[in-house]
Amino acid sequence: MLRTNLVATVLAAAATEAFTALVRAAGVHLAVGDPGGSASSVVPVNFGACAIALAMVMVLGIGLAALINRRSSRPARAYTIATSALVLVSLAAPLIAAATSTGDQAHARRRPPHRGRRHHPPGPPPP
């Protein structure tokens, strides 16, 4: 199991970096921000960052697979349930990350209403 997962990790990391290279070549600026943070917390994603992150997560996934394989009477079903739940949890971070349109919208909904001077369009004063 370890050798298969190691090969899968290397291939996935190479595919991820190849894809990000294509995205960068298309002129897309890749950056990441802290969940719930401000636009000033956004940092660029450097070459190799995606592969390193993927490798770290794969180590945890291999450990989870080994634990489930050892402890569960139905390891395939248990692994599918566990990984499905983890995928859903992992989707939350991009939705609330700083400087993304969805993240900015979610952050704006949590902000209290503006209490300062209101902007009025030019024209006669409001009644």
Side-chain angles (χ1 to χ4, degrees), residues 12-31 45-54:
T16 300
E17 285 303 320
F19 180 71
T20 58
L22 288 172
V23 169
R24 285 185 182 100
V28 176
H29 174 71
L30 297 176
V45 175
N46 296 324
F47 179 78
C50 293
I52 291 169
L54 187 135

Side-chain angles (χ1 to χ4, degrees), residues 1 5 59-86:
M1 182 172 88
N5 282 303
V59 167
L60 296 174
I62 292 167
L64 178 66
L67 179 70
I68 288 174
N69 195 32
R70 180 170 292 196
R71 304 273 180 182
S72 177
S73 61
R74 296 173 57 188
R77 183 176 188 272
Y79 189 76
T80 301
I81 291 169
T83 55
S84 297
L86 290 171

